[in-house]
Amino acid sequence: MSNYKISLKNFTEKNIFELSDKFRGSDPKGNVISFTNYYMEINGTPFYGISGEFHFSRCEDAYWEDEIIKMKMNGINIISTYVFWIHHEEEKGDFRFDGRRNVRRFIELCKKHGMFVIIRIGPFNHGEVRNGGFPDWLYGMDCELRSLDERYLFYVRRLFKELGKQFDGLYYKEGGVIIAAQIDNEYQHSAAGWEITTGVSEEWIPTGADGNNYMLKIKEMVKEAGIDVPFYTCTGWGGAATPTKEMLPLWGGYAFWPWIFYSHKGEHPVTPEYIYRDFHNNEVPKTYNFEPFYQPESMPYACCEMGGGMMCSYNYRFVLPFESVDAMANVKLASGCNLLGYYMFKGGTNPKGQKTPFLNESQVPKLSYDYQAPIGEYGQKRPSYDRLKRIHLFVREWGKKLCHMKTFLSSQGENIDPADVETLRFAVRYDGTTGFVFLNNYQDHVPLKEKKDCTISVQIKEEEIRISNISLAAGENAILPIGLDMMGIQLKYATVQPLTIVRAEDDTTYFFFSPEGLTPRYVFDAETVKGVEGEHRQEGKDKTIEIYPKQNEMDVFIVKGIKSKIRVVTLTAKESLNFYKIKLGESQFAVLTAGTLLQEGKTLRIESEREKEPIYFWPEVKLEWNQDKDKDKDKGQVKAFLDMGIFKGVLLGRKKKELPVEVRQIGPARYTIKVPDHYMEGIKELILAIQYRGDIAHLFIDGDMIADNFCNGQQWETGLRLFEKRLTGERITLLITPLKEGSNINVESTMAGRKEEVNKMVASVEKIFLKPVYEYRLEVD
């Protein structure tokens, strides 16, 4: 048993003050976005922003709307997107905003679904795009890039003018949703190779040398082009230029570093990303990955690039642990972050160029930018999606209180060795009455041990709260409440994680879940409780009432207070991953489904790879079923009515789609794949899944590459909906570049002959199959 202590006795409120008018903007209705030195506000009320990166030009425009909805359903309320110069002016003077490059339509769809937008307009972006986003033609121009050279600024000014036309009418001040613009990216910190030279001289784009003067000049040009937003941002890490009187510096963190394998030899190092810190404390002016050129408490700690995933580079093929994503969100939340920002949230595929077909940089696949993100390249829902959704539900419900809370670290603080597998990692955020204890038992590149029977003593004023019997499974994280007011009923602490509150007329339901390894327990102040109803074990101790809900299944109990009555639902960890909160009209509902839920008004759609999919509601809803037989095939049919705890549901089902696939080997590492005719009938998407061994794999239709992948041992997936018309009567060619041992180029010929000689090659297909993705559609009355 391990005992830990943390003291909140010296709590004093944060010195919160408004930032200048440079961080403020109004819409035509008088709504105001602004910033204090600690958080974002809307109309003077704390607003907890949750941003997810989605590169519109890396996704076919036909898919945009559903992917935006998926992000919204997850709790994202701001979409951040790079506008890559090379995607729009690949040929000098010829600007393209058609199809997947139509940034205006993308932002209009964000507006349709109530999502704010941050445009990251460069001119330099990086994002693993060719030349960091600079067009090839800039390489040979008579100017110094990323500088105050007027010849360079001429082309930047022309770019911004064209972008300004696309954004016209979509700014917040005009009733639109563009609330911010990022100026350049990592200026004076990072650059990219000129891909036109890669493999020969490998010349690099300048990182810049003009400091804040350059950033301010670019901002001036942005505004001259009419790109007028409530606030402007810049990246703050790595010594990048950060003119904080004019721009909000944004931060982040990655635990997987493919870029280090340009030169690094050996195993990937363990990173300090999963140690709790205090990023908003003048007494700690610098800490790991946070060395600002300003006093920490003078600006909010906000993020734009927390690792929502990571790409595989050619030299580093790894499988992302999906629990790493929500563990980082937990750590950033506890460490004082009041604006979460993930890069990437939605993976994608690079568009093909007009002159240069492949617009990714050479360290990553030519087309794929899946990024192992919460939403995959072809719309797949990854485990990180559901794990993040739980944290986002918590933030959306208690974010306003969280914005005022200070960070308190354990006695070890930020000095815990990342390789320490024994010590319990925890921190507290607290506002003087309410707080949350954050636990993290995940570490990159070192598996932590399961924590068992730990006790945390939290000293608050004259009272000590002892949270005993804390156990947490390896790889998991948790958020535990202390001093939580539940409509006048005081929850002193609990060993369950708050999810959300569903409010109905005269009926309020609090949802919690039990993280893996923790034994669920609620400890109420007995003076605020008149009675408890339900099937549970109950104890009375030291003026408290302790409730031990059922484990390994949903538990429900009722707590009666002096003036109120609440329902408390404890979900299992597995059930919590399937949890959504929706609004139908003015009413709130909790939904459980393992599928991907999309909502538009009273229409609910569920994406699923299963031909039977249950969905449950609380409170119960009336569902309308279209009985038209032809349409029924597309929407699915009710197979049964279901009950689970307080939830009522239905089992949706449809006829299983049989999709045999014909695979033929036609060379040592070359295969053809024949997909059945009419393969898309009655399904939303068809995933071609390939398990293979080798170095790189490519898919072609009639010689045109449609997808590629760096082998990391995982199943490779490609969506075929985009290629439906092209596949009629055609076969897909799969070509695997082998892994080679003892490769040598024989140049001994006197007649300029060269040939490759290899001792051993590995290239094989283990399995190829098709996975249909169904869509069920419900109309809610």
Side-chain angles (χ1 to χ4, degrees):
M1 178 179 290
S2 300
N3 296 302
Y4 301 89
K5 293 185 177 181
I6 190 167
S7 177
L8 315 184
K9 289 180 68 175
N10 295 327
F11 170 80
T12 55
E13 291 187 357
K14 280 277 187 185
N15 178 24
I16 306 297
F17 53 85
E18 295 288 329
L19 297 187
S20 75
D21 288 344
K22 301 289 179 66
F23 303 90
R24 176 185 297 268
S26 302
D27 73 3
K29 295 181 179 179
N31 297 303
V32 177
I33 284 178
S34 60
F35 275 89
T36 72
N37 61 320
Y38 201 30
Y39 48 81
M40 183 176 171
E41 293 182 315
I42 295 182
N43 296 332
T45 300
F47 173 81
Y48 204 109
I50 306 174
S51 170
E53 192 87 8
F54 178 1
H55 297 160
F56 62 93
S57 57
R58 280 174 155 160
C59 178
E60 194 66 32
D61 55 317
Y63 290 91
W64 284 347
E65 187 161 18
D66 275 6
E67 306 307 272
I68 290 168
I69 294 172
K70 289 176 189 176
M71 293 177 73
K72 181 177 182 178
M73 299 299 292
N74 188 271
I76 300 294
N77 49 32
I78 303 171
I79 287 182
S80 177
T81 189
Y82 272 140
V83 184
F84 293 111
W85 191 348
I86 193 172
H87 288 182
H88 299 284
E89 195 189 3
E90 185 186 352
E91 295 194 68
K92 185 181 174 187
D94 181 13
F95 285 90
R96 291 187 61 187
F97 294 100
D98 57 310
R100 60 162 64 198
R101 293 169 169 83
N102 189 343
V103 63
R104 181 175 188 83
R105 179 169 171 266
F106 177 78
I107 296 172
E108 287 172 341
L109 288 172
C110 292
K111 179 180 178 181
K112 175 182 176 182
H113 295 285
M115 305 288 273
F116 288 135
V117 174
I118 297 176
I119 46 174
R120 305 177 78 184
I121 55 177
F124 178 84
N125 293 130
H126 199 205
E128 290 71 58
V129 164
R130 182 178 175 88
N131 311 326
F134 278 168
D136 278 15
W137 54 263
L138 272 175
Y139 178 70
M141 297 306 295
D142 60 341
C143 56
E144 184 67 17
L145 307 187
R146 301 185 84 184
S147 77
L148 295 174
D149 186 328
E150 275 299 327
R151 293 166 296 181
Y152 162 68
L153 296 180
F154 168 82
Y155 296 109
V156 175
R157 192 174 285 111
R158 187 174 68 178
L159 168 68
F160 289 159
K161 183 178 179 181
E162 292 295 327
L163 294 180
K165 294 176 185 176
Q166 299 299 314
F167 302 147
D168 187 44
L170 299 174
Y171 303 113
Y172 186 74
K173 68 176 185 178
E174 300 168 314
V177 292
I178 302 176
I179 60 170
Q182 179 180 301
I183 305 302
D184 208 88
N185 188 57
E186 301 178 324
Y187 185 72
Q188 291 192 174
H189 165 63
S190 182
W194 276 111
E195 293 297 321
I196 198 170
T197 72
T198 297
V200 184
S201 62
E202 297 190 3
E203 188 172 352
W204 283 67
I205 292 161
T207 58
D210 292 318
N212 287 348
N213 289 336
Y214 173 82
M215 298 293 286
L216 295 173
K217 180 63 177 179
I218 296 296
K219 178 183 175 182
E220 176 188 312
M221 293 164 58
V222 166
K223 296 196 73 170
E224 286 174 357
I227 302 173
D228 189 3
V229 291
F231 62 102
Y232 298 83
T233 74
C234 59
T235 49
W237 55 83
T242 52
T244 54
K245 290 184 179 180
E246 298 281 341
M247 302 174 200
L248 180 71
L250 298 180
W251 301 87
Y254 295 108
F256 297 86
W257 305 337
W259 52 85
I260 70 170
F261 289 93
Y262 273 109
S263 59
H264 180 78
K265 305 297 181 185
E267 296 296 318
H268 192 298
V270 179
T271 78
E273 285 292 349
Y274 294 96
I275 304 298
Y276 292 111
R277 305 176 189 280
D278 188 350
F279 291 123
H280 201 256
N281 188 338
N282 288 344
E283 295 181 6
V284 188
K286 294 182 180 181
T287 185
Y288 168 76
N289 203 24
F290 182 66
E291 298 185 7
F293 297 129
Y294 57 89
Q295 287 285 291
E297 292 183 57
S298 67
M299 301 292 289
Y301 181 78
C303 288
C304 65
E305 289 199 25
M306 295 157 43
M310 181 52 70
M311 80 280 182
C312 286
S313 72
Y314 185 77
N315 295 312
Y316 184 45
R317 320 286 184 84
F318 69 100
V319 178
L320 182 83
F322 291 117
E323 63 270 24
S324 69
V325 181
D326 58 300
M328 182 171 290
N330 175 299
V331 169
K332 294 293 186 185
L333 275 172
S335 300
C337 181
N338 282 332
L339 194 161
L340 297 173
Y342 303 96
Y343 187 103
M344 299 285 297
F345 199 89
K346 159 71 180 121
T349 311
N350 249 31
K352 289 188 176 178
Q354 298 159 277
K355 299 181 70 174
T356 303
F358 304 119
L359 299 180
N360 268 349
E361 67 179 15
S362 56
Q363 69 162 322
V364 296
K366 295 185 182 303
L367 291 173
S368 177
Y369 198 67
D370 175 80
Y371 216 79
Q372 304 182 69
I375 302 174
E377 188 172 4
Y378 300 99
Q380 311 99 307
K381 182 179 73 168
R382 303 275 165 61
S384 50
Y385 179 94
D386 289 325
R387 295 178 67 91
L388 283 176
K389 178 155 50 69
R390 300 187 300 195
I391 287 183
H392 297 164
L393 283 161
F394 162 76
V395 169
R396 294 294 288 269
E397 188 62 59
W398 286 281
K400 290 180 182 178
K401 288 188 70 66
L402 201 65
C403 281
H404 289 281
M405 292 181 176
K406 294 179 70 170
T407 292
F408 292 84
L409 302 179
S410 66
S411 58
Q412 294 93 339
E414 62 182 64
N415 297 317
I416 296 175
D417 186 336
D420 179 351
V421 301
E422 303 286 349
T423 303
L424 178 68
R425 305 177 187 194
F426 71 99
V428 175
R429 283 188 73 171
Y430 182 64
D431 67 3
T433 56
T434 302
F436 298 100
V437 179
F438 293 81
L439 308 173
N440 172 43
N441 202 27
Y442 172 83
Q443 174 61 51
D444 63 275
H445 300 96
V446 173
L448 299 186
K449 292 183 179 180
E450 178 186 4
K451 301 300 180 289
K452 293 184 178 180
D453 297 327
C454 299
T455 297
I456 298 177
S457 297
V458 184
Q459 187 69 44
I460 302 175
K461 298 178 182 177
E462 303 304 319
E463 180 182 10
E464 183 180 67
I465 296 175
R466 294 186 77 253
I467 309 175
S468 59
N469 299 318
I470 296 175
S471 298
L472 192 61
E476 293 299 320
N477 67 85
I479 304 171
L480 311 181
I482 54 175
L484 187 64
D485 186 336
M486 303 168 70
M487 296 180 63
I489 299 166
Q490 296 299 314
L491 179 64
K492 293 182 73 66
Y493 71 89
T495 56
V496 289
Q497 180 161 326
L499 264 179
T500 192
I501 306 170
V502 173
R503 298 170 177 85
E505 188 175 352
D506 299 324
D507 192 311
T508 301
T509 302
Y510 285 76
F511 286 91
F512 296 80
F513 77 91
S514 182
E516 294 286 358
L518 272 168
T519 300
R521 178 169 83 258
Y522 298 83
V523 180
F524 292 97
D525 183 341
E527 293 185 359
T528 65
V529 176
K530 291 176 64 177
V532 182
E533 302 173 0
E535 298 178 10
H536 57 268
R537 184 165 66 86
Q538 180 174 324
E539 297 180 6
K541 298 179 181 179
D542 301 325
K543 299 181 181 180
T544 63
I545 296 174
E546 296 192 7
I547 306 297
Y548 293 82
K550 292 176 289 186
Q551 282 192 269
N552 304 318
E553 63 177 296
M554 187 186 305
D555 181 87
V556 182
F557 62 88
I558 304 293
V559 184
K560 295 180 180 178
I562 306 302
K563 296 182 180 180
S564 63
K565 182 175 73 171
I566 61 173
R567 182 182 294 103
V568 178
V569 179
T570 311
L571 304 175
T572 66
K574 183 177 179 180
E575 289 167 343
S576 70
L577 294 171
N578 298 337
F579 188 96
Y580 293 84
K581 180 179 176 180
I582 65 172
K583 194 172 183 181
L584 296 167
E586 295 302 314
S587 301
Q588 298 177 348
F589 294 86
V591 179
L592 292 176
T593 177
T596 306
L597 182 65
L598 295 85
Q599 180 187 10
E600 292 182 85
K602 293 186 176 182
T603 300
L604 301 179
R605 293 181 285 134
I606 303 100
E607 282 184 16
S608 174
E609 294 180 5
R610 304 187 296 184
E611 58 272 10
K612 290 184 179 179
E613 188 65 61
I615 181 170
Y616 301 86
F617 298 87
W618 167 260
E620 188 175 2
V621 300
K622 294 181 180 179
L623 303 174
E624 294 182 1
W625 308 101
N626 192 315
Q627 297 302 315
D628 183 283
K629 291 184 178 179
D630 292 332
K631 291 184 178 179
D632 239 7
K633 292 179 182 177
D634 293 332
K635 294 183 177 182
Q637 299 175 333
V638 178
K639 298 294 184 182
F641 291 90
L642 308 170
D643 292 288
M644 184 169 63
I646 62 171
F647 287 81
K648 301 288 186 181
V650 293
L651 178 64
L652 303 174
R654 64 198 317 148
K655 186 177 180 181
K656 183 177 180 180
K657 184 82 171 180
E658 298 292 344
L659 290 161
V661 60
E662 176 190 319
V663 180
R664 192 154 54 97
Q665 186 169 2
I666 59 173
R670 193 179 297 266
Y671 302 78
T672 61
I673 302 168
K674 183 68 173 73
V675 177
D677 291 337
H678 311 296
Y679 64 94
M680 290 303 303
E681 289 182 358
I683 61 176
K684 182 172 185 177
E685 178 62 276
L686 184 64
I687 300 293
L688 173 63
I690 302 174
Q691 191 76 44
Y692 73 100
R693 297 176 64 209
D695 187 12
I696 302 174
H698 313 79
L699 291 175
F700 299 86
I701 298 176
D702 194 25
D704 178 35
M705 188 192 297
I706 62 168
D708 61 338
N709 175 257
F710 288 171
C711 184
N712 67 347
Q714 293 294 102
Q715 181 175 288
W716 173 33
E717 296 186 344
T718 302
L720 298 182
R721 166 66 78 177
L722 282 174
F723 313 107
E724 183 176 6
K725 294 180 181 178
R726 296 176 61 186
L727 279 175
T728 303
E730 288 284 346
R731 293 178 183 271
I732 299 173
T733 299
L734 166 64
L735 178 61
I736 301 173
T737 303
L739 284 172
K740 301 174 183 179
E741 295 181 11
S743 176
N744 177 62
I745 306 300
N746 187 324
V747 294
E748 295 177 2
S749 168
T750 59
M751 298 301 294
R754 292 170 296 170
K755 61 180 178 180
E756 182 183 30
E757 297 174 340
V758 182
N759 293 337
K760 182 181 179 181
M761 294 194 298
V762 177
S764 63
V765 168
E766 297 176 2
K767 189 177 183 182
I768 297 179
F769 60 101
L770 298 171
K771 296 197 302 183
V773 178
Y774 303 102
E775 183 175 271
Y776 303 93
R777 187 183 297 259
L778 307 177
E779 300 295 334
V780 184
D781 186 6

